[in-house]
Amino acid sequence: MAKESKDFSKYFDFSGAKVISEDQNGKTIRLNGRDIHIVSEPDYRQEKQRGKEEIQVHYENAVPDELKSLGVGKKYIIYTYGCQMNEHDTEVMRGLFEEMGYVSTEDRMEADVILFNTCAVRENAEDKVFGELGHMKVLKLQRPELILGVCGCMSQEASVVNRIMQKHAHVDMIFGTHNIHRLPHLLQEAHFGKEMVIDVWSKEGDIIENLPKKRMEGLRAWVNIMYGCDKFCTYCIVPYTRGKERSRLPEDVIAEVRDLARQGYKEITLLGQNVNAYGKDFTDREYRFGDLMDDIRKIDIPRVRFTTSHPRDFDEHLIEVLAKGGNLVEHIHLPMQSGSTEILKRMSRKYTRERFLELANRIRAEIPNAVLTTDIIVGFPGETEEQFEETLTLVREAGITSAYTYIYSPREGTPAFDMADNVPYEVKQKRLARLNEEIRELSFEHHKSLVGQTIEVLVEGESKSNSNVLSGRSRANKLIHFEGKKEWIGQFVDVQVTAAQSWYVKAEVVKEPVMPSQAG
């Protein structure tokens, strides 16, 4: 019998609400005593569609002159949940805030605007946000003029927006991942209006360049190379919340990386939901991720990383380019998700266990010092003990040294949500513990092989427990602790590994760095 298509219209069924007005700018309703202006609302069906319409690229300023003083004398806080893409979106929003005259603060009691930039990938991330929104109700009663906003991936879920409208009337604005550039206008509306404003674009829209960014440190930077994902893995909400794959033009990416090199950044990470799909959507040129990496390799910036990749699109040309080394680091994050071909099929990953292992071996053949890390989900619907064991063996066979591991979290709106989640939670927990122990052993084995080696470390900061101990990361992204001087933070230091721990290594300095003041 054919499965009935899911009815998502119920999420925006406000039969109990009174429509006050409706025009080309949206509609205003009254719900539970609060006026809500809905400019546009999330729609699962639209978020799933992949239209052929051409993506436009816009270069105009996101902050018009008349809004550049809107935030003078005001302060903001952004709380960020989730992946590096969310962190990068927060950098853009900080840039927009500060171009309007706002100043950052850590104190909720003095903030004029508080934003929650949210993640929809796992249920516990959503629970945390709703918990925080509950706490905010008291603050809003104490300070009614405070503007409270929810943005990011959770905002792209119709059920989430409905829940906020019904139960968190103290929220002032909700916007999604596709219209961050509209933040100045939304803030203006929230400052001068009394309504909750909902402006969530379900269709992803165009690529907006020239958005200001406020990066928090002058050491490492994230550079977005593309948006969205077209893979539709059955467990994943991201293709709905982030839209279809859209690649930034290579000239815009390269100009941003060159600018970061001029500013003295030591390390950049190229970001995309699936960086290996970069360039597939170009109609006027044959230019893929390997070509972009080859061009960035020639820019004078010490380290270049990327995340995250999909094994299905990891092609031979990219491996050849990465093998050239230089500023392209040998750390490759390759999400496996499961070691069972049958589970991978149910996840719609479009590769097999054998294909993943073949890819890992091919990478090692071309890049002998490659360090592979991964993502793994345990307890996917229907996962048997034997299939879980296949994950354990593939982790070892592929030479994985570190992994982000998760218990499967059902996300409403995804195909897996309708699968029978028949693995008991206690079994999932035990499998996660066994997997983590396996990863810990592999990490420790790898770290033992580093003892005696001299490694270049980018010094990131001092240890929280001992100010004489510094910590940093190697090119392979290994965490390294060693004694040194505070002024070395931000510099490259050569250290020799002296002892292995499970998740980091201890080392001692071989050669002190030449400080910029000494270089002349």
Side-chain angles (χ1 to χ4, degrees):
M1 193 175 81
K3 200 175 216 177
E4 285 182 38
S5 62
K6 201 167 179 69
D7 177 20
F8 291 115
S9 61
K10 62 179 182 181
Y11 293 127
F12 267 84
D13 172 21
F14 296 118
S15 45
K18 181 182 178 187
V19 177
I20 297 171
S21 64
E22 191 164 2
D23 57 24
Q24 71 274 14
N25 298 317
K27 63 184 171 189
T28 301
I29 64 172
R30 182 163 295 145
L31 184 69
N32 300 332
R34 178 94 200 252
D35 286 0
I36 302 172
H37 181 45
I38 303 172
V39 182
S40 55
E41 62 199 45
D43 182 311
Y44 280 106
R45 281 199 187 87
Q46 279 193 17
E47 287 171 351
K48 190 175 182 178
Q49 286 167 4
R50 292 295 183 267
K52 295 291 182 198
E53 64 273 15
E54 198 175 322
I55 297 293
Q56 302 293 316
V57 183
H58 301 275
Y59 295 93
E60 60 268 19
N61 289 331
V63 182
D65 289 342
E66 65 270 21
L67 295 185
K68 285 194 172 166
S69 58
L70 180 69
V72 172
K74 299 189 180 87
K75 297 182 178 180
Y76 73 94
I77 298 177
I78 306 175
Y79 294 107
T80 311
Y81 302 80
C83 67
Q84 292 97 330
M85 196 71 78
N86 279 24
E87 295 279 1
H88 186 60
D89 287 347
T90 289
E91 291 180 340
V92 171
M93 289 189 283
R94 280 198 202 106
L96 290 167
F97 269 117
E98 307 222 349
E99 213 165 279
M100 288 184 284
Y102 289 88
V103 176
S104 174
T105 180
E106 298 292 314
D107 185 354
R108 290 181 175 190
M109 292 309 293
E110 62 177 33
D112 298 279
V113 183
I114 297 178
L115 279 189
F116 290 90
N117 185 8
T118 62
C119 170
V121 171
R122 272 171 292 282
E123 195 173 10
N124 62 349
E126 287 196 4
D127 291 343
K128 278 182 191 169
V129 171
F130 279 117
E132 284 293 333
L133 288 181
H135 298 319
M136 287 288 137
K137 194 167 188 176
V138 178
L139 191 61
K140 187 79 173 172
L141 285 169
Q142 292 170 337
R143 304 181 52 229
E145 75 287 354
L146 169 69
I147 290 174
L148 189 57
V150 178
C151 60
C153 291
M154 274 174 64
S155 303
Q156 296 289 154
E157 295 185 88
S159 55
V160 166
V161 175
N162 187 5
R163 184 172 166 186
I164 294 172
M165 290 166 71
Q166 299 275 12
K167 299 190 174 165
H168 298 279
H170 53 290
V171 170
D172 298 289
M173 53 195 247
I174 305 171
F175 59 100
T177 60
H178 306 320
N179 58 336
I180 286 171
H181 61 285
R182 294 264 311 138
L183 177 61
H185 300 279
L186 294 169
L187 281 168
Q188 181 186 37
E189 201 171 331
H191 269 303
F192 298 111
K194 295 279 180 273
E195 306 162 329
M196 179 193 291
V197 180
I198 297 169
D199 193 1
V200 179
W201 294 5
S202 295
K203 294 302 286 178
E204 55 282 318
D206 297 333
I207 289 176
I208 314 294
E209 292 289 347
N210 289 352
L211 290 173
K213 298 174 187 74
K214 171 78 185 298
R215 293 178 164 103
M216 294 306 278
E217 53 165 322
L219 199 59
R220 295 167 304 179
W222 289 306
V223 176
N224 211 289
I225 66 167
M226 64 182 299
Y227 306 91
C229 182
D230 291 346
K231 285 293 178 278
F232 286 99
C233 301
T234 57
Y235 55 82
C236 189
I237 197 75
V238 168
Y240 306 86
T241 63
R242 289 283 176 179
K244 75 177 180 186
E245 290 171 354
R246 295 98 71 208
S247 304
R248 288 178 68 197
L249 296 175
E251 50 267 37
D252 292 329
V253 175
I254 289 164
E256 184 174 350
V257 174
R258 283 203 175 115
D259 187 48
L260 291 166
R262 277 193 293 271
Q263 291 177 49
Y265 280 84
K266 303 286 199 302
E267 179 179 298
I268 60 156
T269 302
L270 304 178
L271 287 183
Q273 244 71 48
N274 172 18
V275 290
N276 308 100
Y278 177 82
K280 274 175 136 181
D281 54 320
F282 292 147
T283 54
D284 62 338
R285 65 186 90 192
E286 191 60 43
Y287 188 96
R288 297 294 303 278
F289 187 48
D291 301 306
L292 181 68
M293 291 297 274
D294 212 12
D295 283 340
I296 288 177
R297 189 176 60 82
K298 297 159 192 162
I299 298 173
D300 187 17
I301 202 156
R303 289 181 181 178
V304 178
R305 304 184 183 281
F306 62 90
T307 195
T308 188
S309 59
H310 194 297
R312 182 177 158 200
D313 293 329
F314 212 106
D315 60 34
E316 202 61 52
H317 180 226
L318 177 59
I319 296 173
E320 286 169 16
V321 171
L322 295 176
K324 294 178 183 179
N327 61 357
L328 306 182
V329 302
E330 52 275 9
H331 169 229
I332 296 171
H333 190 70
L334 199 60
M336 173 198 300
Q337 304 304 1
S338 173
S340 159
T341 296
E342 182 54 39
I343 292 295
L344 288 169
K345 188 177 178 183
R346 298 191 80 200
M347 289 177 166
S348 195
R349 291 291 286 173
K350 306 290 198 308
Y351 57 85
T352 62
R353 171 196 178 88
E354 291 72 26
R355 159 86 176 120
F356 186 90
L357 190 55
E358 179 198 333
L359 175 59
N361 290 337
R362 223 166 61 235
I363 289 170
R364 288 192 193 292
E366 296 283 335
I367 314 166
N369 58 345
V371 170
L372 298 182
T373 58
T374 197
D375 296 337
I376 299 170
I377 296 169
V378 302
F380 190 76
E383 183 187 67
T384 65
E385 187 59 33
E386 292 73 25
Q387 288 164 340
F388 171 67
E389 294 280 353
E390 288 183 273
T391 297
L392 291 181
T393 55
L394 185 57
V395 162
R396 193 167 278 278
E397 286 172 35
I400 300 297
T401 62
S402 181
Y404 294 107
T405 59
Y406 313 98
I407 287 175
Y408 166 70
S409 180
R411 308 311 296 132
E412 192 160 1
T414 63
F417 187 77
D418 295 322
M419 296 179 187
D421 189 7
N422 53 5
V423 182
Y425 189 69
E426 305 74 47
V427 173
K428 292 178 184 178
Q429 285 180 308
K430 284 176 182 169
R431 286 179 188 171
L432 183 69
R434 283 171 62 199
L435 175 61
N436 285 343
E437 180 56 26
E438 182 75 9
I439 298 290
R440 190 196 67 75
E441 284 178 21
L442 290 170
S443 176
F444 187 49
E445 282 173 26
H446 178 65
H447 288 166
K448 280 194 290 190
S449 74
L450 300 178
V451 173
Q453 288 188 30
T454 298
I455 293 177
E456 177 196 76
V457 180
L458 177 56
V459 186
E460 296 176 358
E462 54 184 55
S463 163
K464 292 182 176 67
S465 54
N466 185 345
S467 58
N468 293 324
V469 174
L470 299 176
S471 71
R473 291 190 180 268
S474 68
R475 285 172 56 93
N477 210 34
K478 293 298 171 186
L479 184 62
I480 300 176
H481 291 322
F482 57 96
E483 287 194 7
K485 301 171 186 171
K486 194 173 181 178
E487 56 264 30
W488 293 353
I489 294 171
Q491 304 300 315
F492 288 102
V493 180
D494 286 339
V495 300
Q496 187 175 56
V497 179
T498 55
Q501 305 289 322
S502 292
W503 307 117
Y504 67 94
V505 298
K506 293 180 178 177
E508 54 190 31
V509 175
V510 174
K511 193 171 108 187
E512 293 198 11
V514 177
M515 302 302 289
S517 57
Q518 300 169 300

